[in-house]
Amino acid sequence: MDTFKQISAFVNVSTRGSLSAAARSENVTPAIIGRRLDALEARLGVRLLIRTTRKLTLTFEGQAFLEDCQKVLNDLANAEAAVSLGSLQASGQLRVSAPSGFGRRHVAPLVGEFMLANPEVRVNLNLSDRLVDLLNENIDCAIRIGELTDSSLVSVRLGEMRRMVVASPAYLVAHGVPREPADLAQHNCLSLGQQRGWVFRDPDSDQVDTIKVGGSFECNDGAVLHEWALAGRGLAWRSLWEVGQDLKEGRLTSVLDAWQAPPMGIYAVFPQRRHLPLRVRLFIDLLKETYSRASYWELR
């Protein structure tokens, strides 16, 4: 039990940034948290945290140990939740954050399904394209797409998403079909704000490159680019979750399919906790089961 408390204190301090914040979350004094850290470092024989009056900094060994500890605590929480599934009913408030466009199409509908199965849960869905601070904004879990940068959060891969170049059939009739990424220089490409370029993978070498594109239309809203593509204004580089239905019904056509970039991961991320609430675990399980089905994306 002492070992568990030491590890839990280390993870708590590392993710919350201070002894006092970790102490408040565990309802103990900062001195107790400090003693647990001292005991852990003494037992391991390495310095995990550099502590000053102003800040805490993880050492190289501390960073590596933190990732292992987070996995251990997460596995333990999952094991406990699995044992309890047959005897407990999820309840309480579930606070979820997701990107605006993706959340409207692929999170909000599943919230309704989740609440039908878990009527004692109240859901607060926050749709925003900014990177929310889960700890300070009291968010239970967030849905994120692409590379994850915050190592203090626990992540669960829910599925993957492809991006592709699309255009309306009318645009392709009028301007021709690009056969390789270099051909994009001759096309009107719809740019998303200050986007660096579009990413492609060479089908022969598997090399991934970013190609700069240009055109007469630019917007920082992906939904607007989608509408422009449907209206025949140019080529757009969009995610399958956004254009899948249009591809199926012929309103858009994909090009350069052999050059598609590697798929991006779809993740649920959440702060490290000693016990993951059952409502969070069940919601993540629903997302994972849904997003991992190829037929789900084909139908949309």
Side-chain angles (χ1 to χ4, degrees):
M1 182 59 69
D2 288 341
T3 298
F4 179 82
K5 287 182 177 180
Q6 292 167 9
I7 291 175
S8 180
F10 167 65
V11 171
N12 224 345
V13 168
S14 301
T15 54
R16 295 180 184 272
S18 71
L19 270 68
S20 58
R24 285 194 299 271
S25 72
E26 298 194 27
N27 199 28
V28 297
T29 65
I32 290 177
I33 296 295
R35 286 198 293 271
R36 290 175 183 174
L37 291 177
D38 291 339
L40 178 62
E41 290 179 332
R43 184 166 56 82
L44 297 177
V46 296
R47 177 65 64 86
L48 300 174
L49 284 162
I50 299 174
R51 286 176 269 172
T52 68
T53 56
R54 293 188 175 183
K55 66 177 182 178
L56 296 171
T57 305
L58 283 166
T59 64
F60 177 80
E61 293 81 4
Q63 182 63 55
F65 190 57
L66 174 62
E67 295 176 3
D68 290 338
C69 288
Q70 288 176 320
K71 184 178 186 304
V72 168
L73 293 179
N74 185 47
D75 288 345
L76 177 60
N78 288 342
E80 290 180 340
V83 170
S84 302
L85 282 177
S87 58
L88 293 180
Q89 184 175 20
S91 61
Q93 186 168 45
L94 173 65
R95 298 176 179 87
V96 180
S97 173
S100 297
F102 184 87
R104 282 192 295 269
R105 294 191 182 205
H106 300 291
V107 180
L110 294 178
V111 166
E113 180 179 337
F114 175 78
M115 294 182 71
L116 284 175
N118 301 276
E120 298 301 315
V121 177
R122 305 183 309 279
V123 177
N124 182 324
L125 178 60
N126 174 23
L127 300 182
S128 174
D129 291 324
R130 67 181 178 86
L131 197 63
V132 299
D133 186 329
L134 274 67
L135 284 173
N136 290 330
E137 299 181 45
N138 201 23
I139 300 295
D140 291 306
C141 72
I143 311 306
R144 293 182 179 168
I145 302 173
E147 182 179 357
L148 300 179
T149 57
D150 192 341
S151 62
S152 68
L153 300 174
V154 179
S155 65
V156 175
R157 190 179 180 95
L158 304 174
E160 60 183 32
M161 178 53 54
R162 291 182 290 137
R163 300 196 78 173
M164 57 194 62
V165 179
V166 299
S168 70
Y171 175 88
L172 296 175
V173 169
H175 302 279
V177 178
R179 302 300 178 186
E180 58 183 37
D183 295 342
L184 294 176
Q186 311 303 319
H187 284 268
N188 196 36
C189 296
L190 308 175
S191 299
L192 180 64
Q194 300 300 314
Q195 194 174 55
R196 292 185 306 163
W198 297 356
V199 180
F200 297 94
R201 177 171 55 189
D202 189 303
D204 296 321
S205 66
D206 268 352
Q207 181 177 344
V208 177
D209 292 310
T210 300
I211 306 297
K212 290 185 178 181
V213 298
S216 55
F217 291 86
E218 180 180 307
C219 184
N220 65 347
D221 188 320
V224 172
L225 296 185
H226 183 193
E227 293 300 323
W228 283 346
L230 288 170
R233 306 300 185 192
L235 295 164
W237 188 49
R238 308 307 302 151
S239 296
L240 179 60
W241 66 259
E242 182 179 16
V243 300
Q245 191 68 25
D246 296 307
L247 292 171
K248 181 179 179 181
E249 297 179 4
R251 291 186 293 270
L252 291 174
T253 300
S254 63
V255 298
L256 301 175
D257 288 349
W259 298 77
Q260 279 183 19
M264 300 178 295
I266 305 172
Y267 299 91
V269 298
F270 50 91
Q272 176 60 57
R273 292 175 176 166
R274 184 177 299 178
H275 303 292
L276 188 67
L278 180 60
R279 59 184 178 273
V280 179
R281 174 180 169 80
L282 292 178
F283 186 67
I284 291 174
D285 285 347
L286 173 62
L287 297 182
K288 186 175 182 179
E289 191 277 330
T290 302
Y291 296 163
S292 63
R293 298 197 312 263
S295 59
Y296 171 82
W297 304 108
E298 291 171 1
L299 290 174
R300 287 157 176 78

